Amino acid sequence: MIKIRREDYDNIIRHARKELPNEACGLIAGTVTGEDKVIEKVYFLTNIDHSREHFSLDPKEQLEAVKDMRANGLKPLGNWHSHPESPSRPSEEDKRLAYDSSASYLILSLLEPEHPVLNSFHISGEVSEKEELQIKE
């Protein structure tokens, strides 16, 4: 299970809407206790592709985020990105580019702008499995 605070969830939605019509992206970091991952910090990075169909994280921002994680004793948990025009599930490109099967891949769909949908997945090769996601108040 992966847990995210309501405030972080709301900030992801706000940032993704601001980046429309392009995909928004970032990293997530936190703690791991047994099977539970708790997101303690969400990083908002630049999609250097400026595309509505795919994303690439800005390498400088990614390095700064990893340094911040280390400085604050957080573990990298995975990444997040938005799908402005498609459902909250991994695309073929998402599967192809998923390099870490232990990571959580959060995908926010803005297909229905007033009803965003956030899901988390583990991806290994062509196989994606939905991970239980809990939004904490």
Side-chain angles (χ1 to χ4, degrees), residues 1 11-12 15 18 22 31 39 41 45 66 74 119 125:
M1 174 186 307
N11 286 336
I12 288 173
H15 182 75
K18 185 180 80 148
N22 296 324
T31 57
I39 298 171
K41 190 161 186 180
L45 279 59
V66 170
L74 301 174
N119 287 305

Side-chain angles (χ1 to χ4, degrees), residues 81-84 86-88 107-112 115-118:
H81 73 279
S82 63
H83 281 182
S86 60
S88 175
I107 301 174
L108 174 70
S109 173
L110 295 173
L111 186 60
E112 294 182 43
H115 303 285
V117 176
L118 181 67

Side-chain angles (χ1 to χ4, degrees), residues 23-70:
E23 287 192 3
C25 57
L27 297 174
I28 53 173
T31 57
V32 179
T33 306
E35 296 292 315
D36 290 345
K37 296 178 185 178
V38 178
I39 298 171
E40 300 291 342
K41 190 161 186 180
V42 175
Y43 297 87
F44 302 95
L45 279 59
T46 302
N47 175 359
I48 60 172
D49 293 338
H50 305 289
S51 169
R52 61 187 349 142
E53 297 173 353
H54 52 87
F55 73 97
S56 294
L57 301 171
D58 179 293
K60 286 183 179 180
E61 293 175 357
Q62 189 173 7
L63 180 60
E64 289 302 314
V66 170
K67 286 180 181 178
D68 184 78
M69 290 175 204
R70 290 182 183 149

Side-chain angles (χ1 to χ4, degrees), residues 62-108:
Q62 189 173 7
L63 180 60
E64 289 302 314
V66 170
K67 286 180 181 178
D68 184 78
M69 290 175 204
R70 290 182 183 149
N72 289 292
L74 301 174
K75 294 184 183 286
L77 300 178
N79 68 48
W80 70 270
H81 73 279
S82 63
H83 281 182
E85 301 169 341
S86 60
S88 175
R89 62 175 178 250
S91 67
E92 291 306 311
E93 182 170 296
D94 292 336
K95 292 177 188 175
R96 184 173 54 79
L97 297 175
Y99 61 90
D100 183 354
S101 61
S102 68
S104 293
Y105 296 90
L106 276 65
I107 301 174
L108 174 70

